[in-house]
Amino acid sequence: MKKIIENKWDEILSLLSTQYDISKMLVDTWIRSLKIFEVKDNTVYFYVDEKLGENSIKFIRKKEFDLFLLSSIRETLDNSDIEIVIDLKKNYVSEEEKIEEIKNSDSYKDAVSRSNLNPKYTFENFIVGDGNRHAHATCLAVADMPAQDNFNPLFLYGNSGLGKTHLMQSIAHYILQKDDKAKVLYVSSDTFTIEIVEAIKNNRTNEFRDKYRNVDVLLIDDVQSIKGKDATQTEFFNTFNTLYNDNKQIILSSDRPPKDLETLDKRLVSRFECGVPIDIHEPDYETRMAILKNKAELNHITGIPEEVYIYIAENVTDNIRELEGALNKISVFSKLMNEKVTLETAKESLKDFINKDSNVKITLERILSIVCEHMGISEADIKSKKRSQDIATARQIIMYLGRQYTLLSLMSIGKYLGGRDHTTVMNGCNKIEKMLKNDEAFKSTVDTIIKKLNPSS
């Protein structure tokens, strides 16, 4: 509406003279200089020229010019619902200023912490491109009007590192910015699984249900990870139904669409498909460049030449997380070496990160196969309960490399390696890190395995 009024401003002012008998001199002196601050909920907020000050507002009201202006706007736009407010610009607070004030408040910060949200994952920090434009627009709609039938549940899917978690949490931030008393909860499926297992083991399922079923918005990341876990799936199904029937917003993410979650309970897949499944694609070159520069600005990374941004954007093409990781690595490398960032230093710091000649995708399956081959241990032994030193060490190397070269969670790695829990994987990774620092022969073995994983590195 703001643009419409500005385009018809001369017509509105002309009507004041012809219809309401206000002289052109008075219109030009007192009304023409009015500016629109914003239009919200059918109300037009005008402000006066600062030079004229508050006395001009008093004069406009005394002469009832404000009432005549309102009538002229309503008639010109053929809209009887319009209202107007005229005030000094300094008395208005923009939406951006209001949001910034909210974000700095203790109550909002407490709500973000309580909801398990990353403070940086907001719409303001999300870079929109062709690969995520549809998803971004849908998430904005859900944030603005949560729990609408057409958008509940919202199901985001796509490969790892494309911004699903960022978009999910942006919705939560938006809702809390409007009402920091809203009950919002974000968890990964791994966390959900761990908590239900602990609740069942300790006979505290009622507490678990109170936590997950008394929320306004529930966000669960990587739902594909709950496959094959009967107790978790049953509890999730019942939680889903309770929230859905209570008209609460449910937001889910996965690395694949609902129809491809073959090992998930068909009842769950059916529920996922009843809302809006939205896919996110890899960022194009322009979006990758925008992401890099936005990341640099947010993290106060300076001194990066344009050619270095181009080099990263051209070589890291399918994962935003890796894109940001490459930029961080260049920045850290530059500080450690006390060198100015150039294209040559960037290539040197990323030589193990970027490999243009290799199309080898490093997966946990590939890591298992190569470690077993190199160390002369069978894959069956790795996944077994055997704990002999050679088997345990090989198993821990696989855990460590799985964390370094894949985006899998600790729980997913443990499940693949014979159903071990996430603490076992974490301890295994820590042990390998210590051995790499203190044992040169062991480090040489691991380096050899890494070269086999990616031969052209």
Side-chain angles (χ1 to χ4, degrees), residues 222-239:
D222 293 322
V223 293
Q224 77 277 357
S225 295
I226 68 174
K227 62 187 178 182
K229 299 163 184 170
D230 293 340
T232 307
Q233 291 196 37
T234 298
E235 194 59 44
F236 182 71
F237 178 79
N238 292 330
T239 297

Side-chain angles (χ1 to χ4, degrees), residues 307-347:
E307 59 186 1
V308 172
Y309 284 122
I310 294 171
Y311 176 72
I312 301 172
E314 286 181 342
N315 288 280
V316 183
T317 59
D318 58 359
N319 190 301
I320 294 171
R321 210 170 293 153
E322 291 180 0
L323 199 66
E324 295 175 343
L327 182 64
N328 287 337
K329 190 167 186 180
I330 285 174
S331 177
V332 170
F333 184 86
S334 173
K335 290 175 182 176
L336 289 175
M337 302 302 293
N338 196 26
E339 291 182 1
K340 182 179 178 181
V341 177
T342 64
L343 182 58
E344 288 68 33
T345 62
K347 288 180 177 180

Side-chain angles (χ1 to χ4, degrees), residues 183 185 192 196 205-218 231-244 246-248:
K183 294 179 180 178
L185 181 60
F192 185 90
I196 185 55
T205 53
N206 286 337
E207 291 181 27
F208 173 87
R209 289 165 186 166
D210 284 343
K211 174 180 178 178
Y212 282 94
R213 299 185 189 183
N214 291 309
V215 297
D216 300 309
V217 183
L218 178 63
T232 307
Q233 291 196 37
T234 298
E235 194 59 44
F236 182 71
F237 178 79
N238 292 330
T239 297
F240 184 104
N241 280 346
T242 299
L243 292 174
Y244 185 81
D246 288 346
N247 200 34
K248 306 300 183 182

Side-chain angles (χ1 to χ4, degrees), residues 122-124 126 128 132-146 151 154 156 167-168 170-172 174-175 177-178 251:
T122 65
F123 283 122
E124 292 83 2
F126 188 83
V128 181
N132 59 32
R133 197 178 305 282
H134 185 200
H136 177 261
T138 304
C139 288
L140 274 175
V142 171
D144 197 44
M145 299 182 68
F151 297 115
L154 173 64
L156 299 174
L167 274 178
M168 290 177 76
S170 294
I171 298 173
Y174 189 99
I175 291 170
Q177 285 164 10
K178 292 199 293 185
I251 302 170

